[in-house]
Amino acid sequence: MSALVKELMQEASYGRMLSDRKVARFSPAEMREAIQELVGQDRLDMANALIDAGLALHPESDDVLAIAALVAMVRQDWVQAIELLTKLMLVQEGAVQPFTHLMLVRALRSNLEPAAALQATVTGLIQYPDHAELLAEQVALFELAGMAHPGAIAD
């Protein structure tokens, strides 16, 4: 159990939350690991409280933004997931990972925004033109729209 989770659990046993001062002692990476651990233990309320603290303390952290977006997707809060993934992409600038593009596409699809999801596949494929999952998402979105994929071979 991580030190942060231990401190959170100890305070929770007294019916209290960990103070901002104590949470601030931990790095964004430690916060990400603690949030992952809490989600794995199905302690989503504590994970969400730590996400809120992490976003307040480290609003530009890749670690905090990425885990916050994943937890939002687990909660099926598509609007928050889209906002967090978009912010993560801005923070990462040209170093956005294919998984981040893919998660944004899926969050947009789940939020019933197929046109935006299709545009997100285009953006991802500019950086990663041969990424199989992004290509599959793009084909599925073209099919959803009743259109042939531009790269498809005509019969």
Side-chain angles (χ1 to χ4, degrees):
M1 185 178 296
S2 72
L4 179 51
V5 171
K6 283 180 188 175
E7 286 194 42
L8 282 168
M9 300 298 253
Q10 183 177 7
E11 290 299 310
S13 71
Y14 297 119
R16 300 185 304 235
M17 286 300 299
L18 201 58
S19 71
D20 289 346
R21 183 179 56 79
K22 287 184 179 180
V23 173
R25 292 189 341 239
F26 295 92
S27 72
E30 290 170 315
M31 287 182 182
R32 176 186 42 79
E33 290 168 8
I35 293 163
Q36 286 173 299
E37 189 174 333
L38 290 166
V39 170
Q41 296 172 3
D42 202 29
R43 298 176 184 261
L44 289 179
D45 290 343
M46 291 181 84
N48 286 324
L50 189 52
I51 286 168
D52 291 342
L55 289 170
L57 292 166
H58 306 287
E60 304 289 315
S61 165
D62 292 19
D63 284 316
V64 175
L65 289 167
I67 194 67
L70 288 174
V71 172
M73 291 185 76
V74 167
R75 289 189 342 259
Q76 298 183 357
D77 185 342
W78 308 121
V79 172
Q80 184 180 32
I82 292 164
E83 288 173 9
L84 290 165
L85 288 164
T86 301
K87 184 169 184 179
L88 177 61
M89 294 171 91
L90 291 171
V91 166
Q92 292 179 334
E93 295 178 12
V96 179
Q97 297 299 308
F99 183 75
T100 305
H101 288 288
L102 194 57
M103 290 301 97
L104 180 59
V105 169
R106 291 180 178 165
L108 288 163
R109 281 184 72 174
S110 296
N111 202 46
L112 305 176
E113 299 181 47
L118 183 57
Q119 181 56 51
T121 64
V122 170
T123 302
L125 288 167
I126 288 170
Q127 193 172 2
Y128 301 99
D130 297 323
H131 193 273
E133 289 180 89
L134 283 170
L135 287 165
E137 288 287 347
Q138 188 176 60
V139 168
L141 286 161
F142 273 111
E143 288 173 358
L144 182 68
M147 300 166 42
H149 185 270
I153 299 172
D155 290 334

